[in-house]
Amino acid sequence: MDSQDWNDRYAASELVWGAEPNRWVVGELTGRTPGRALDVAAGEGRNSIWLARQGWRVTGLDFSAVALERAERLTADLPDEVADRLTWRHDDARGFPLPAEGYDLVLVAYLQLPAADRRTALRRAAAALAPGATLLVVGHDSSNLTEGVGGPQDPRVLFTPDDVLADLSDAGLRTVRAERVLRPVAAEAGHRDGAAGGRAAAVDALVRLERPLQRP
């Protein structure tokens, strides 16, 4: 999907991803010392807004102008001390400008790109890290097609933790966590694994890496 496809998808419904932050973002980042964060493929801003509520100064980046307009509307309803920590940027994950000083956190959540483009985007995200910073990558695992529910049905935009590690094998990062995780979702009628109203699980890929502190 290109930027116009995503604009059309966002325009067709309110809060495509919901208002609550992703459970893995909350689980991995709660309690961490706030700093400067970049949320790549921020969409309507649910994770950026959660980070800002935790004290982070966040730049939310997305190539859908419609999504960012919605994020800006949500920001307007936030307390000033939270809204002031948020900046929205219309740009491409594969080629956004790198900051003079790196970010303390770069989040890449549910970025849907074919393998070559994903590799470019992840390497760009890694290059934006400051010494000691964290890169958190979350997405739909390739096995979700056969073992999970929901998510994209195009295998070209799915990936595994090993794919992420291979994409960043020479980026100088330390692996903290790299595994498949199960995310509970409400089962809908017609799903292969249950009746309507039941509970099921999507399979996600979760990778957390850190850039080592540079030696003096």
Side-chain angles (χ1 to χ4, degrees):
M1 295 174 67
D2 60 22
S3 60
Q4 186 56 54
D5 292 327
W6 280 108
N7 281 338
D8 293 342
R9 181 173 182 182
Y10 283 115
S13 63
E14 287 294 324
L15 294 181
V16 172
W17 311 114
E20 296 300 315
N22 173 256
R23 67 188 293 125
W24 310 124
V25 172
V26 174
E28 293 296 313
L29 300 177
T30 293
R32 295 181 65 87
T33 302
R36 296 178 65 240
L38 174 66
D39 183 5
V40 177
E44 298 149 316
R46 60 176 182 148
N47 293 318
S48 293
I49 290 171
W50 179 81
L51 286 167
R53 290 185 186 277
Q54 311 309 305
W56 292 83
R57 289 168 287 127
V58 188
T59 297
L61 180 151
D62 204 281
F63 75 168
S64 168
V66 174
L68 293 177
E69 288 170 3
R70 191 164 294 164
E72 289 174 348
R73 291 200 300 271
L74 292 173
T75 303
D77 294 330
L78 297 171
D80 288 346
E81 65 270 19
V82 177
D84 289 347
R85 299 188 192 112
L86 287 160
T87 301
W88 305 108
R89 177 188 295 172
H90 185 214
D91 216 325
D92 193 312
R94 296 164 295 184
F96 61 88
L98 295 175
E101 295 183 3
Y103 292 96
D104 303 298
L105 166 68
V106 177
L107 170 63
V108 184
Y110 300 96
L111 178 65
Q112 298 178 28
L113 290 173
D117 289 331
R118 181 197 68 236
R119 185 175 303 111
T120 298
L122 289 181
R123 293 177 70 84
R124 196 71 177 172
L129 294 170
T134 293
L135 172 60
L136 179 61
V137 181
V138 182
H140 303 282
D141 191 85
S142 298
S143 65
N144 193 61
L145 279 177
T146 55
E147 300 177 26
V149 297
Q153 298 301 295
D154 183 351
R156 294 174 299 175
V157 301
L158 307 180
F159 57 87
T160 68
D162 284 344
D163 290 332
V164 174
L165 296 182
D167 289 343
L168 299 172
S169 60
D170 60 351
L173 306 182
R174 180 177 69 87
T175 302
V176 177
R177 184 180 183 188
E179 60 187 279
R180 297 194 316 162
V181 289
L182 299 180
R183 173 170 45 86
V185 295
E188 299 177 0
H191 274 313
R192 56 182 170 266
D193 47 7
R199 298 296 295 177
V203 187
D204 287 339
L206 189 158
V207 179
R208 190 172 121 208
L209 306 109
E210 292 181 353
R211 181 170 298 288
L213 288 168
Q214 295 177 342
R215 295 181 179 178

